[in-house]
Amino acid sequence: MIDLDRIRSEALADIAAADLEGLETTRVALLGKKGAITALMRSLGDMGPEERRNAGLALNALKDVISTALDQRKARLDAERLDQRLARERVDVTQPARPDRVGRIHPISQTIDEVVAIFGQMGFAVAEGPDIEDDFHNFTALNFPPGHPARLMHDTFFLPEKSDGSRFLLRTHTSPVQVRTMRKQAPPIRVIIPGRTYRCDSDMTHTPMFHQVEGLVIDKTTTMGHLKGCLIEFVKTYFEVDEVPVRFRPSFFPFTEPSAEVDIGCSRAGGELKIGAGADWLEILGCGMVHPNVLRNCGIDPDEYQGFAFGMGIERIAMLKYGIPDLRTFFESDLRWLHHYGFVPLDVPTLSGGLAR
Ligand code: PHE
């Protein structure tokens, strides 16, 4: 007679000692097709009826005990493994964030975010366009006829000539996005356009790549008064001063008429530049009423619609606000500079929360 008690206690001891991988081997060795219990079950066929009945009952009971023990052990080992994993991967969500480890926001990005926040509050949407442009969008549509001398002032980077003689170029200003927006979207239009611009110029105060932000408003009754109000509001909010003298000086751009350059008041007393009332003026942007020819080139009827546009250099207004003395340092990728002038990533500029901290 087979010693079922021995089989049972050995099996239970094996199960109790097994780890997750070993447990499967143990299961196969006992209950698998060629397992010990399975073999015993098979041997029932050779027994007489009485003997088979008793042995069958005993074997089935043993089989139940063993499968239950296997299931319980498996459940326990699974739970232990999960606990270990949870302990290993635990994250303390109550810990304060450590933005210091994430690096710094570049002053250019910060300034763009601030400008977008200010104009966003006034109802402007952000528009974008490609850095590589064609002559039509960068010049012709903006009322620079072919051969116009103002084209030469743009120090344009051209790409190699194509078979039809035309050349792509790197946009020299963000104004081509005015054209793209007007050709795509029916008025009223109110957009702000930040982006990279390129001119073949490099010295103390010029880098071949720089950034501009363009504004465009087109509606039926938009006037120069709106342009002035909008820019004065911007200057006060951006420089975070209550009163800034703002001066509109007549100027020329082919795509605006009349055109103006905007100066803001500042003082340089004691060698320190301060934005606000003072004896000096600083030029910060170009603007004007969109030229009727530009509206026409973009499929907008100048007898029905009019509007204003402005464009300014991001580096310039960043330098003025944050006291960054040298333009070229913006693009030197010096981590010490970035750490000094950069911004903490989680301090996203908003008008309610503060532009820059
Ligand atoms: N595109 C002009 C420049 O780069 C700036 C500008 C934009 C002027 C819009 C008037 C209106 O100098």
Side-chain angles (χ1 to χ4, degrees):
M1 183 66 210
I2 331 144
D3 187 350
L4 288 187
D5 280 345
R6 217 196 68 223
I7 296 185
R8 175 189 153 115
S9 57
E10 279 179 11
L12 291 181
D14 283 352
I15 292 171
D19 60 13
L20 256 183
E21 291 70 30
L23 193 64
E24 179 58 13
T25 318
T26 309
R27 190 188 65 77
V28 172
L30 292 165
L31 303 180
K33 260 196 195 136
K34 293 177 185 156
I37 309 289
T38 318
L40 286 175
M41 293 294 229
R42 212 170 283 135
S43 70
L44 288 174
D46 304 332
M47 298 177 185
E50 183 76 0
E51 194 190 1
R52 177 160 60 217
R53 213 175 67 88
N54 292 334
L57 278 174
L59 269 178
N60 270 327
L62 174 62
K63 194 176 157 187
D64 280 352
V65 169
I66 290 179
S67 355
T68 310
L70 282 166
D71 288 349
Q72 284 172 349
R73 179 76 185 148
K74 170 103 170 60
R76 167 117 182 258
L77 289 170
D78 280 343
E80 273 174 18
R81 183 160 290 192
L82 182 64
D83 282 348
Q84 284 165 5
R85 198 170 138 205
L86 289 176
R88 211 171 42 240
E89 294 175 2
R90 197 171 74 174
V91 174
D92 183 353
V93 293
T94 64
Q95 281 233 325
R98 279 174 287 186
D100 265 8
R101 298 219 181 153
V102 192
R104 284 286 189 275
I105 301 290
H106 196 283
I108 296 288
S109 310
Q110 170 78 18
T111 304
I112 290 176
D113 289 348
E114 291 181 25
V115 172
V116 166
I118 296 169
F119 284 104
Q121 184 88 350
M122 296 188 211
F124 286 65
V126 173
E128 282 176 321
D131 290 18
I132 298 177
E133 266 298 2
D134 52 28
D135 182 275
F136 175 78
H137 290 91
N138 199 80
F139 292 123
T140 308
L142 288 166
N143 200 34
F144 291 77
H148 191 286
R151 285 177 175 238
L152 297 177
M153 292 166 59
H154 275 231
D155 301 309
T156 313
F157 284 113
F158 289 99
L159 274 72
E161 214 166 273
K162 293 186 288 179
S163 51
D164 64 1
S166 68
R167 298 182 285 184
F168 282 122
L169 48 84
L170 297 183
R171 67 179 177 193
T172 58
H173 48 178
T174 39
S175 304
V177 190
Q178 284 189 35
V179 176
R180 290 184 178 276
T181 306
M182 285 189 273
R183 288 167 72 88
K184 188 167 71 195
Q185 182 190 328
I189 293 172
R190 211 183 283 154
V191 287
I192 188 88
I193 305 154
R196 289 190 174 160
T197 48
Y198 307 82
R199 291 187 196 183
C200 186
D201 202 354
S202 185
D203 57 31
M204 277 287 286
T205 54
H206 298 88
T207 50
M209 188 279 296
F210 57 104
H211 296 75
Q212 286 190 340
V213 59
E214 187 95 6
L216 174 70
V217 173
I218 306 286
D219 209 336
K220 289 190 172 156
T221 55
T222 305
T223 68
M224 192 118 190
H226 298 132
L227 166 63
K228 289 184 77 173
C230 173
L231 290 176
I232 290 171
E233 189 60 30
F234 165 73
V235 165
K236 285 201 273 188
T237 316
Y238 176 74
F239 288 107
E240 301 179 71
V241 280
D242 291 334
E243 283 312 320
V244 198
V246 178
R247 180 169 83 172
F248 286 70
R249 212 168 6 84
S251 184
F252 173 82
F253 302 102
F255 38 93
T256 45
E257 182 58 38
S259 305
E261 275 169 326
V262 173
D263 300 336
I264 53 173
C266 67
S267 110
R268 290 195 171 87
E272 195 204 348
L273 177 70
K274 258 180 67 193
I275 306 295
D280 276 319
W281 294 100
L282 259 174
E283 183 200 320
I284 61 156
L285 60 86
C287 62
M289 299 304 291
V290 178
H291 197 291
N293 287 349
V294 176
L295 293 173
R296 235 174 261 122
N297 291 340
C298 297
I300 293 177
D301 180 359
D303 292 329
E304 195 180 352
Y305 286 102
Q306 57 187 31
F308 64 78
F310 57 86
M312 63 190 139
I314 300 279
E315 284 80 357
R316 183 162 175 79
I317 62 168
M319 288 166 81
L320 292 174
K321 180 164 177 180
Y322 294 113
I324 303 173
D326 185 345
L327 170 71
R328 290 174 295 188
T329 57
F330 276 92
F331 308 115
E332 281 171 353
S333 304
D334 183 336
L335 281 178
R336 292 162 308 174
W337 182 90
L338 189 58
H339 205 83
H340 182 77
Y341 288 112
F343 294 83
V344 177
L346 295 178
D347 290 344
V348 178
T350 59
L351 295 196
S352 51
L355 286 176
R357 271 157 285 171

